[in-house]
Amino acid sequence: MARRARAKQDLDTELSDLPPELRWREWIGRVEAVIFASPVPVDREILARVVGRDCNLDLLIDDIRAELRGRPYELVAVAGGWQHRTRKSFSEAIQVATGLGTTEVKPLSSSEALVLLCIGYFQPITRGELSQFFGKEISRDVIGHLQRLGFIAAGPRSPTPGAPYTYVTTKGFLSHFGFDTLRDLPDIEALEDAGLLSKDRPLAGDIPLGFRAGEPDDEEELEDVVPDEES
């Protein structure tokens, strides 16, 4: 632990002894290396640890993106940070060469995708409130599966009687569906105008977020055999 702390202190982030152009190139290299090495999106606070106080991270990111134009991968803003991802136009070539994506298990049924959609828009929301939206009981199994996939987590307890847990989406949800923040969700007013989504009737048509639904909808997935109390 002491060696790690000492190494962090020894890193020269200001690079004041370098000419401006070389300083900028070094910052670019550091930031791109940190993002490349990370299996998850890297946020601004982490990147700030390797660059100087006078470094404009947004301009630096723009320069990295410019250098990656024409490459098969790009730097994307996702889940509140940045991550290297291959361009979608190369997905078929990757599948042919490696098999990745050809046997992927589709994680969501249509019912689960609908529940996740509602949590995304109306969070924090309780299981009881979700049940009211759908007019039927939302099972703990559906909530549990979405939690195991890392798409939702328990939020603050509701101020309603019994103080049930609410549910919120996670950074894993943002990362999986390619959103930087929840503001990147399709405009809810446009969905309401199209008759797809409303607080009275959550969904009346196709799922608009590109969720990869699995097996055809099973009505029983949204129901408990015996309704139980909120936890």
Side-chain angles (χ1 to χ4, degrees):
M1 182 65 70
R3 290 180 59 186
R4 184 181 304 174
R6 190 161 53 249
K8 181 178 179 181
Q9 292 173 357
D10 290 343
L11 181 65
D12 180 7
T13 59
E14 300 300 326
L15 302 174
S16 56
D17 58 328
L18 293 180
E21 183 175 350
L22 292 181
R23 182 186 311 131
W24 191 254
R25 293 306 311 173
E26 175 64 18
W27 282 339
I28 284 179
R30 289 181 180 185
V31 166
E32 191 167 8
V34 171
I35 295 173
F36 183 83
S38 175
V40 297
V42 182
D43 63 29
R44 184 180 299 271
E45 181 180 354
I46 292 176
L47 294 178
R49 300 173 187 172
V50 298
V51 297
R53 291 168 295 180
D54 296 329
C55 176
N56 187 319
L57 268 175
D58 294 313
L59 291 178
L60 192 146
I61 292 292
D62 287 344
D63 280 359
I64 295 175
R65 284 174 165 163
E67 292 182 358
L68 294 179
R69 289 195 185 109
R71 304 297 297 169
Y73 52 90
E74 59 186 334
L75 189 60
V76 299
V78 63
W82 291 277
Q83 188 174 41
H84 282 108
R85 292 192 174 184
T86 53
R87 298 183 188 274
K88 292 181 180 180
S89 59
F90 292 94
S91 60
E92 184 177 358
I94 294 172
Q95 289 176 358
V96 169
T98 67
L100 293 175
T102 57
T103 59
E104 183 179 2
V105 177
K106 294 179 173 61
L108 297 179
S109 69
S110 295
S111 298
E112 291 163 339
L114 296 181
V115 172
L116 182 57
L117 177 70
C118 288
I119 294 173
Y121 278 108
F122 302 122
Q123 62 187 300
I125 186 170
T126 67
R127 190 165 66 91
E129 290 169 335
L130 286 167
S131 298
Q132 291 177 6
F133 278 138
F134 286 98
K136 59 183 69 178
E137 193 75 15
I138 303 301
S139 74
R140 295 180 186 277
D141 288 342
V142 169
I143 296 297
H145 187 216
L146 294 176
Q147 287 180 308
R148 287 191 295 274
L149 290 172
F151 293 156
I152 66 171
R157 285 188 177 271
S158 170
T160 57
Y165 279 109
T166 62
Y167 296 97
V168 297
T169 54
T170 64
K171 283 190 174 182
F173 163 79
L174 296 174
S175 178
H176 184 83
F177 295 108
F179 299 131
D180 187 17
T181 71
L182 290 173
R183 291 190 295 273
D184 295 329
L185 286 168
D187 183 69
I188 190 169
E189 292 183 358
L191 296 180
E192 289 176 339
D193 291 342
L196 296 177
L197 188 70
S198 75
K199 292 184 178 180
D200 297 323
R201 182 176 178 80
L203 200 69
D206 293 332
I207 302 169
L209 294 185
F211 291 156
R212 293 173 298 164
E215 297 299 322
D217 190 16
D218 182 352
E219 289 295 326
E220 294 183 356
E221 289 184 11
L222 289 179
E223 299 177 354
D224 282 327
V225 177
V226 180
D228 50 10
E229 297 179 354
E230 291 286 335
S231 60

PDB file of all heavy atoms in Angstrom, residues 111 136 216-223:
ATOM      1  N   SER A 111     -41.056  -9.167 -21.172  1.00  0.00           N
ATOM      2  CA  SER A 111     -41.615  -8.678 -19.912  1.00  0.00           C
ATOM      3  C   SER A 111     -40.569  -7.957 -19.077  1.00  0.00           C
ATOM      4  O   SER A 111     -40.825  -6.876 -18.533  1.00  0.00           O
ATOM      5  CB  SER A 111     -42.184  -9.855 -19.105  1.00  0.00           C
ATOM      6  OG  SER A 111     -43.235 -10.480 -19.790  1.00  0.00           O
ATOM      7  N   LYS A 136     -50.846  -5.701 -12.941  1.00  0.00           N
ATOM      8  CA  LYS A 136     -50.622  -7.073 -12.478  1.00  0.00           C
ATOM      9  C   LYS A 136     -49.369  -7.085 -11.616  1.00  0.00           C
ATOM     10  O   LYS A 136     -48.530  -6.182 -11.704  1.00  0.00           O
ATOM     11  CB  LYS A 136     -50.467  -8.038 -13.643  1.00  0.00           C
ATOM     12  CG  LYS A 136     -49.327  -7.701 -14.586  1.00  0.00           C
ATOM     13  CD  LYS A 136     -49.251  -8.655 -15.770  1.00  0.00           C
ATOM     14  CE  LYS A 136     -50.427  -8.462 -16.690  1.00  0.00           C
ATOM     15  NZ  LYS A 136     -50.357  -9.338 -17.883  1.00  0.00           N
ATOM     16  N   PRO A 216     -40.336 -15.110 -26.390  1.00  0.00           N
ATOM     17  CA  PRO A 216     -41.592 -14.378 -26.470  1.00  0.00           C
ATOM     18  C   PRO A 216     -42.182 -14.163 -25.091  1.00  0.00           C
ATOM     19  O   PRO A 216     -42.009 -14.970 -24.184  1.00  0.00           O
ATOM     20  CB  PRO A 216     -42.472 -15.303 -27.327  1.00  0.00           C
ATOM     21  CG  PRO A 216     -41.505 -16.097 -28.145  1.00  0.00           C
ATOM     22  CD  PRO A 216     -40.303 -16.286 -27.252  1.00  0.00           C
ATOM     23  N   ASP A 217     -42.903 -13.073 -24.943  1.00  0.00           N
ATOM     24  CA  ASP A 217     -43.433 -12.674 -23.647  1.00  0.00           C
ATOM     25  C   ASP A 217     -44.270 -13.770 -23.037  1.00  0.00           C
ATOM     26  O   ASP A 217     -45.122 -14.375 -23.677  1.00  0.00           O
ATOM     27  CB  ASP A 217     -44.281 -11.414 -23.828  1.00  0.00           C
ATOM     28  CG  ASP A 217     -44.668 -10.801 -22.508  1.00  0.00           C
ATOM     29  OD1 ASP A 217     -44.045 -11.149 -21.503  1.00  0.00           O
ATOM     30  OD2 ASP A 217     -45.590  -9.966 -22.503  1.00  0.00           O
ATOM     31  N   ASP A 218     -44.017 -14.040 -21.783  1.00  0.00           N
ATOM     32  CA  ASP A 218     -44.779 -15.009 -21.013  1.00  0.00           C
ATOM     33  C   ASP A 218     -45.544 -14.230 -19.973  1.00  0.00           C
ATOM     34  O   ASP A 218     -44.960 -13.647 -19.067  1.00  0.00           O
ATOM     35  CB  ASP A 218     -43.825 -16.014 -20.343  1.00  0.00           C
ATOM     36  CG  ASP A 218     -44.577 -17.089 -19.571  1.00  0.00           C
ATOM     37  OD1 ASP A 218     -45.812 -16.964 -19.430  1.00  0.00           O
ATOM     38  OD2 ASP A 218     -43.918 -18.037 -19.115  1.00  0.00           O
ATOM     39  N   GLU A 219     -46.857 -14.206 -20.093  1.00  0.00           N
ATOM     40  CA  GLU A 219     -47.652 -13.390 -19.187  1.00  0.00           C
ATOM     41  C   GLU A 219     -47.402 -13.750 -17.741  1.00  0.00           C
ATOM     42  O   GLU A 219     -47.457 -12.918 -16.850  1.00  0.00           O
ATOM     43  CB  GLU A 219     -49.146 -13.554 -19.511  1.00  0.00           C
ATOM     44  CG  GLU A 219     -49.566 -12.901 -20.823  1.00  0.00           C
ATOM     45  CD  GLU A 219     -49.422 -11.398 -20.771  1.00  0.00           C
ATOM     46  OE1 GLU A 219     -49.634 -10.816 -19.688  1.00  0.00           O
ATOM     47  OE2 GLU A 219     -49.107 -10.797 -21.797  1.00  0.00           O
ATOM     48  N   GLU A 220     -47.081 -15.034 -17.483  1.00  0.00           N
ATOM     49  CA  GLU A 220     -46.894 -15.447 -16.100  1.00  0.00           C
ATOM     50  C   GLU A 220     -45.652 -14.860 -15.487  1.00  0.00           C
ATOM     51  O   GLU A 220     -45.508 -14.813 -14.272  1.00  0.00           O
ATOM     52  CB  GLU A 220     -46.845 -16.982 -16.019  1.00  0.00           C
ATOM     53  CG  GLU A 220     -48.174 -17.640 -16.389  1.00  0.00           C
ATOM     54  CD  GLU A 220     -48.102 -19.142 -16.222  1.00  0.00           C
ATOM     55  OE1 GLU A 220     -46.999 -19.635 -15.898  1.00  0.00           O
ATOM     56  OE2 GLU A 220     -49.117 -19.809 -16.419  1.00  0.00           O
ATOM     57  N   GLU A 221     -44.705 -14.377 -16.329  1.00  0.00           N
ATOM     58  CA  GLU A 221     -43.477 -13.818 -15.782  1.00  0.00           C
ATOM     59  C   GLU A 221     -43.753 -12.563 -14.973  1.00  0.00           C
ATOM     60  O   GLU A 221     -42.973 -12.197 -14.113  1.00  0.00           O
ATOM     61  CB  GLU A 221     -42.512 -13.478 -16.916  1.00  0.00           C
ATOM     62  CG  GLU A 221     -41.912 -14.696 -17.598  1.00  0.00           C
ATOM     63  CD  GLU A 221     -40.913 -14.295 -18.637  1.00  0.00           C
ATOM     64  OE1 GLU A 221     -40.555 -13.105 -18.672  1.00  0.00           O
ATOM     65  OE2 GLU A 221     -40.478 -15.155 -19.411  1.00  0.00           O
ATOM     66  N   LEU A 222     -44.848 -11.872 -15.269  1.00  0.00           N
ATOM     67  CA  LEU A 222     -45.141 -10.623 -14.576  1.00  0.00           C
ATOM     68  C   LEU A 222     -46.046 -10.838 -13.379  1.00  0.00           C
ATOM     69  O   LEU A 222     -46.481  -9.885 -12.763  1.00  0.00           O
ATOM     70  CB  LEU A 222     -45.807  -9.639 -15.556  1.00  0.00           C
ATOM     71  CG  LEU A 222     -44.892  -9.074 -16.638  1.00  0.00           C
ATOM     72  CD1 LEU A 222     -45.684  -8.140 -17.530  1.00  0.00           C
ATOM     73  CD2 LEU A 222     -43.709  -8.364 -16.036  1.00  0.00           C
ATOM     74  N   GLU A 223     -46.365 -12.078 -13.038  1.00  0.00           N
ATOM     75  CA  GLU A 223     -47.301 -12.321 -11.966  1.00  0.00           C
ATOM     76  C   GLU A 223     -46.672 -13.222 -10.915  1.00  0.00           C
ATOM     77  O   GLU A 223     -45.957 -14.162 -11.214  1.00  0.00           O
ATOM     78  CB  GLU A 223     -48.556 -12.996 -12.522  1.00  0.00           C
ATOM     79  CG  GLU A 223     -49.283 -12.142 -13.549  1.00  0.00           C
ATOM     80  CD  GLU A 223     -50.485 -12.869 -14.130  1.00  0.00           C
ATOM     81  OE1 GLU A 223     -50.645 -14.057 -13.808  1.00  0.00           O
ATOM     82  OE2 GLU A 223     -51.252 -12.237 -14.876  1.00  0.00           O
TER      83      GLU A 223
END
